[in-house]
Amino acid sequence: MNSIKQSLTALFDRIPRRHSTDNVKEIYGLAYEYEELLTNIEGENDFYEKHIASFFDELEQVRATVKKSTDGKASKKNKDNFFDEASGIFKDSVQSLMELYGEGGRKA
């Protein structure tokens, strides 16, 4: 298994599911790591360059939804729901990327 695949798997396993102050910080840190992995994969070849843009869009959606979960005016239930939604989008995105990336080196 190559290092990017290992990094994606480790990142996927660390995505928190429950809303808390620490988990908000954690998911933002993971989003930063994910963005760096996306940039590295995008630079591998033309195939990945063409197929990675949607993952950046999903990452922005994750960040925006996590931000909603920190709104002081939102109820605890809404904060939990926003965070759960963001976490689900994040996990789905990472899972899709792992499937697309495989072991790397795709060119078709």
Side-chain angles (χ1 to χ4, degrees):
M1 185 182 295
N2 75 26
S3 64
I4 289 179
K5 179 77 171 189
Q6 289 174 334
S7 296
L8 287 170
T9 301
L11 186 136
F12 180 85
D13 291 340
R14 292 180 10 232
I15 296 172
R17 297 293 295 175
R18 299 280 181 243
H19 182 266
S20 72
T21 304
D22 288 339
N23 284 349
V24 167
K25 291 175 187 173
E26 177 71 9
I27 207 165
Y28 277 129
L30 294 173
Y32 177 78
E33 287 179 39
Y34 188 51
E35 186 173 30
E36 289 200 353
L37 287 168
L38 288 171
T39 302
N40 290 339
I41 293 169
E42 187 178 45
E44 282 190 19
N45 63 41
D46 291 340
F47 173 81
Y48 293 122
E49 185 177 349
K50 292 176 186 173
H51 292 87
I52 295 298
S54 64
F55 293 99
F56 282 106
D57 295 340
E58 290 170 353
L59 182 57
E60 288 309 310
Q61 185 180 2
V62 168
R63 286 179 172 143
T65 308
V66 169
K67 185 174 181 177
K68 289 179 188 178
S69 80
T70 64
D71 183 357
K73 296 178 183 177
S75 69
K76 170 78 170 123
K77 181 177 172 137
N78 283 341
K79 288 178 181 182
D80 290 345
N81 288 340
F82 284 132
F83 192 86
D84 187 52
E85 179 184 346
S87 178
I89 294 167
F90 200 3
K91 280 191 171 272
D92 290 347
S93 180
V94 174
Q95 181 69 40
S96 294
L97 181 59
M98 287 191 294
E99 290 169 11
L100 174 73
Y101 186 71
E103 294 297 324
R106 285 184 64 178
K107 296 182 184 201

